[in-house]
Amino acid sequence: MKLSWETVLIFAAAIMLIAVVAWVMRLKTRGALRLVVNSLAGGALIMGLSAFNIIALPFNAFNALLVGVLGLPGAGIVITAAILL
């Protein structure tokens, strides 16, 4: 059976998502709330920049996962990658 790189990437993303969910479940309520607020702020930043055409940001599953997990630092990574590429 031959696996494509897309399949391997999806499996890796699923494993990372499981690890993040397990990590969040171990956090106390304050830490989990901080993570949710940070993720929402990062998503709002990406959507705001894209909505007002300030910078052309590709919105795909990887960028959504990165911003969702890392929040504002993830948004910074996506913006920096978009500017440099």
Side-chain angles (χ1 to χ4, degrees):
M1 181 175 159
K2 197 173 186 183
L3 291 176
S4 65
W5 65 273
E6 291 95 355
T7 306
V8 174
L9 190 61
I10 289 171
F11 281 126
I15 290 170
M16 288 186 336
L17 184 62
I18 291 169
V20 167
V21 168
W23 176 69
V24 168
M25 292 300 188
R26 288 184 17 190
L27 288 177
K28 294 182 180 177
T29 305
R30 181 175 158 217
L33 182 63
R34 195 169 114 206
L35 181 68
V36 169
V37 169
N38 197 16
S39 296
L40 290 174
L45 177 67
I46 292 293
M47 288 177 58
L49 290 175
S50 295
F52 294 113
N53 293 326
I54 295 172
I55 186 169
L57 294 172
F59 195 73
N60 52 29
F62 179 73
N63 289 347
L65 181 66
L66 188 66
V67 172
V69 171
L70 296 179
L72 287 175
I77 292 170
V78 170
I79 292 168
T80 304
I83 290 173
L84 292 177
L85 298 176

